Amino acid sequence: MSDVLYFNGRFTTTDERVLGVEDRGFLFGDAVYEVFKFLSKQPVFFRDHWRRLARNLDAIEIRNPWTEPSFIEAMRALLERTAFADGIVYIQVSRGEGPRAHFYPDDMVPTTIAYSRAFKFPDAAKKERGVQLITTVDRRWKHCDVKSVNLLANALAKKEAQRAGADEALLVDEGAVREGASSNFFAVRGGRVITHPLDEHILPGVTRDHTITVARNAGIPLDEGIVREHELGSLEEAFISSTTLGVMPVVKIDDRPIGGGVRGPLTAQLQRLFDEAEAHAVGF
Ligand code: PMP
């Protein structure tokens, strides 16, 4: 199926082969990406995604091809050309194309792509049923706060989860539970919600951030701290968060049911509060 594709400022479709083989995104994973959700052709938490993209480009010294107004204009034009109402936009900016060499010139012209894709967001039944996780070793590089396209360790971990009949892999680094392969992780222990602090070990998820805000506004006790692997068996509740899943209950980790294997009450409350916040964050 072909989708509308934005490529370096012009529009085409995903059928066109636009990338050169010496693009550094392809050869070195020298690129960052961003994903936002749209509903009725309107973006959700748009500014958070723009700010994270801008921060990530800065972090690896790729020139930002956009200003905020030109980014808004490009994404508006992309969504106007999109044939469906709800989905995600995938954006990727690489350092650019040039003769393969680890050393790169300072003045490379970034390669910029963005495309919209239809996406079936979880319905009420799925949001209640939740997901199952496996634990696996976190083999990623040491800057997981940068949303780079180096997703090999994440993809291998996800495959391991799939082979085990689970939905997501929980990445564990010398006993410390970091995050999911494509989601942030929250636990409930002693009536308090706990999630990993923002540092180089996790991606600063937009959904994580808004979940923390709605929890604090509702007076739900929430700490940023480390959950250890050996504590996973005694959690009262757990959930993961991401742009595509929102707040999603975790009902099993490895062979252990969490909270009796059903969605917990704090998770259900946070799911509701997050969905309300999301409904208020639709639009440019
Ligand atoms: N952590 C990782 C490793 C991810 O890939 C993602 C989703 N891209 C997240 C967390 C969740 O981030 P967000 O809520 O911004 O989608």
Side-chain angles (χ1 to χ4, degrees):
M1 194 191 84
S2 66
D3 288 308
V4 180
L5 172 69
Y6 170 100
F7 175 67
N8 289 345
R10 70 178 170 93
F11 284 98
T12 176
T13 73
T14 48
D15 289 333
E16 188 185 337
R17 294 283 170 259
V18 291
L19 283 184
V21 289
E22 290 198 300
D23 192 278
R24 292 184 66 88
F26 175 60
L27 291 179
F28 290 94
D30 189 352
V32 295
Y33 74 106
E34 192 53 56
V35 176
F36 68 78
K37 172 175 175 176
F38 63 92
L39 298 169
S40 309
K41 292 202 183 188
Q42 292 293 314
V44 179
F45 295 127
F46 183 76
R47 270 191 177 63
D48 300 271
H49 290 284
W50 158 251
R51 284 194 205 109
R52 185 170 63 186
L53 177 62
R55 229 181 22 245
N56 282 315
L57 288 166
D58 270 1
I60 62 168
E61 299 182 324
I62 292 179
R63 184 169 60 75
N64 193 331
W66 292 296
T67 58
E68 186 170 340
S70 70
F71 183 64
I72 292 172
E73 197 186 323
M75 294 305 113
R76 226 190 257 286
L78 175 66
L79 291 174
E80 274 166 16
R81 285 166 168 80
T82 297
F84 39 87
D86 301 341
I88 56 165
V89 171
Y90 178 85
I91 303 150
Q92 182 173 317
V93 183
S94 85
R95 195 175 304 279
E97 188 183 347
R100 186 188 179 282
H102 288 65
F103 288 115
Y104 51 83
D106 292 330
D107 57 352
M108 292 195 82
V109 180
T111 305
T112 306
I113 60 161
Y115 57 86
S116 48
R117 180 137 291 176
F119 194 89
K120 195 179 170 303
F121 300 108
D123 58 15
K126 174 72 191 167
K127 285 160 89 160
E128 182 170 354
R129 201 162 61 242
V131 292
Q132 304 189 11
L133 312 187
I134 59 152
T135 52
T136 192
V137 178
D138 189 351
R139 295 197 166 89
R140 299 174 300 165
W141 75 322
K142 294 175 182 176
H143 270 295
C144 301
D145 50 329
V146 173
K147 201 167 168 63
S148 92
V149 300
N150 288 264
L151 293 172
L152 176 59
N154 307 57
L156 291 173
K158 279 299 243 219
K159 191 70 193 175
E160 194 183 330
Q162 191 184 47
R163 285 206 178 104
D167 307 282
E168 171 66 309
L170 189 55
L171 305 177
V172 179
D173 179 12
E174 296 186 348
V177 175
R178 301 301 189 197
E179 62 179 334
S182 61
S183 59
N184 291 112
F185 179 73
F186 291 73
V188 177
R189 205 174 53 189
R192 302 182 71 83
V193 182
I194 177 166
T195 194
H196 200 288
L198 289 185
D199 61 19
E200 70 278 17
H201 300 296
I202 67 159
L203 186 84
V206 169
T207 318
R208 173 192 178 280
D209 191 36
H210 287 283
T211 302
I212 291 173
T213 303
V214 297
R216 296 220 161 114
N217 289 345
I220 297 169
L222 184 145
D223 307 309
E224 291 178 83
I226 307 279
V227 174
R228 308 292 306 179
E229 186 176 16
H230 67 83
E231 297 169 317
L232 289 173
S234 57
L235 299 179
E236 288 140 36
E237 302 180 31
F239 61 90
I240 55 174
S241 72
S242 76
T243 294
T244 49
L245 295 177
V247 169
M248 181 55 69
V250 171
V251 294
K252 201 173 176 193
I253 303 178
D254 295 325
D255 289 325
R256 294 181 299 256
I258 304 293
V262 295
R263 175 175 68 177
L266 268 178
T267 302
Q269 189 186 354
L270 284 167
Q271 220 171 18
R272 219 166 32 244
L273 293 169
F274 174 79
D275 287 350
E276 280 167 26
E278 188 184 74
H280 285 103
V282 180
F284 281 99

